[in-house]
Amino acid sequence: MGRSAKARRVCIMPRYARFAPQPDEAKAPVRMEVEDYECIRLMDYLGMTQEECAEQMGVARTTVQAIYMRARRRLAGALIEGRPLEITGGNFELCPRADHACGRRCHKTLSDISTVLPTDSPTVLNTEMQKGRITMRLAIPYDDGQVFQHFGRSEQFKLYEVNDGTVGPSRILENNGAGHGALVTLLAQEHVDVLICGGIGAGAQNALKEAGIRFYGGVQGEADKAAADFAAGRLAYDPAVHCEHHGEGHDHGHGHNCHHQD
C-alpha cells in the first residue's frame, strides 16, 4: 500500500471560488483544486520559480511541476471550451500563520493583502488594508508630477509611505537613469515594497521579482493619484505590460516603443 500524498501548504485561500463564461451556459464545470490555485498564484501571479514554489508549498519540485501542469490544463480547458471554473477541495493544509508573515518569501509580496479581480482590462487592484497591519513603501517613476513611462530611464522616483490604507509622507529620490539593474538596486536599498510604473521591460520585471518588489505596470497620469488609487484599492493597471527598446536603460538613438501584450 503506497503512502498517502503529503498535504501541500497553502498561504491564502481563494477569495473567488467560481468563474463562469458570458453567457453562463449550462456546461459541466472544470474543477481546480486549492493547491492548483496556490501553484498558479505563486508561479504565474507572483513570479516564483518552481524551486521557490516547492519550498513555499512544502513539497518536492517534481510535485510542484505536476500540479502546475495540471492547473494550466484545467485553466486552458475552461477558457477554450467556455466552461465554468470552480476552485474547491484538494490535498492541502492552510499555513498556520496565513494571517501574518510566516517568514517565507510570501511576506515580501502583497499576497496577504491584495487580490486581482477578474474585471475588464485594465485590471483593477482590490487591496484590503487592515488597520494597524499595513505599512509599506511605494515608488513611482516621476517626471513633472506624472508617472514617467520608461522605467529604465527614470531620473526621479517619488517615494510614498502607505499606512492603514492611506498615503502618508512622500519625497523625491534622485538618480541618473542608469538602467534597470541600477534602478532596482536603488529601490531595494530604499526598502521599496511596491513599484507603480508605465512601460517596463522583461529584464526589469525579472530584477524586481528577484528583489521581492511587487510591480504594477501600464499606469498613466498623475503620480499622486496613482498612489492614492493604490492605497484605496482602485488602481487600474495592465498585468501584461512590457516595454521594448533595444536594451532598456541604454543610450541609443532608435526611438522607444512601449506597448501592451494582447
Side-chain angles (χ1 to χ4, degrees):
M1 181 177 178
R3 63 179 182 178
S4 58
K6 183 178 180 181
R8 291 84 188 223
R9 183 186 301 110
V10 171
C11 286
I12 183 171
M13 291 294 290
R15 182 177 300 274
Y16 305 101
R18 189 176 189 274
F19 301 85
Q22 294 291 339
D24 190 356
E25 301 178 13
K27 293 184 178 181
V30 174
R31 178 173 172 266
M32 174 180 285
E33 297 171 355
V34 173
E35 60 264 35
D36 296 355
Y37 165 88
E38 180 73 349
C39 196
I40 291 290
R41 184 182 75 87
L42 295 176
M43 293 179 61
D44 286 345
Y45 181 55
L46 297 182
M48 288 189 181
T49 64
Q50 286 188 2
E51 292 86 352
E52 292 167 336
C53 181
E55 180 183 1
Q56 185 74 26
M57 296 181 71
V59 295
R61 178 182 172 184
T62 52
T63 301
V64 160
Q65 188 175 38
I67 294 172
Y68 183 69
M69 293 299 295
R70 180 181 72 193
R72 294 292 293 269
R73 285 196 299 270
R74 289 171 172 173
L75 278 176
L79 291 174
I80 294 170
E81 298 172 14
R83 297 166 59 188
L85 175 67
E86 294 183 353
I87 306 171
T88 182
N91 179 22
F92 69 95
E93 60 181 11
L94 189 63
C95 177
R97 300 194 64 189
D99 290 335
H100 306 280
C102 66
R104 293 174 178 268
R105 187 182 171 191
C106 60
H107 83 280
K108 292 289 288 181
T109 72
L110 295 180
S111 60
D112 60 339
I113 61 171
S114 67
T115 299
V116 176
L117 299 176
T119 58
D120 293 336
S121 181
T123 301
V124 177
L125 174 69
N126 178 28
T127 307
E128 292 186 346
M129 298 292 187
Q130 300 186 31
K131 188 169 181 61
R133 286 189 55 195
I134 306 305
T135 300
M136 66 176 63
R137 181 163 293 173
L138 169 68
I140 300 179
Y142 188 76
D143 181 45
D144 194 25
Q146 303 292 304
V147 179
F148 184 63
Q149 291 300 298
H150 313 310
F151 172 77
R153 306 171 94 183
S154 304
E155 296 184 358
Q156 288 183 328
F157 289 95
K158 193 165 186 178
L159 304 184
Y160 303 82
E161 302 294 331
V162 178
N163 302 283
D164 295 332
T166 60
V167 179
S170 63
R171 63 183 175 90
I172 300 298
L173 176 66
E174 301 282 351
N175 65 86
N176 59 5
H180 71 255
L183 296 182
V184 172
T185 298
L186 177 65
L187 295 179
Q189 291 173 344
E190 291 288 334
H191 307 291
V192 167
D193 301 294
V194 178
L195 172 75
I196 293 174
C197 59
I200 182 167
Q205 294 185 26
N206 291 334
L208 288 166
K209 290 174 182 177
E210 288 294 320
I213 299 174
R214 186 96 182 124
F215 62 90
Y216 298 90
V219 179
Q220 301 182 23
E222 296 180 3
D224 290 351
K225 183 179 184 301
D229 286 347
F230 171 82
R234 57 174 181 262
L235 178 68
Y237 71 102
D238 183 354
V241 71
H242 73 294
C243 178
E244 295 178 356
H245 52 94
H246 311 290
E248 183 172 317
H250 296 281
D251 187 19
H252 56 76
H254 301 294
H256 193 118
N257 179 28
C258 294
H259 56 286
H260 297 170
Q261 294 175 331
D262 295 328

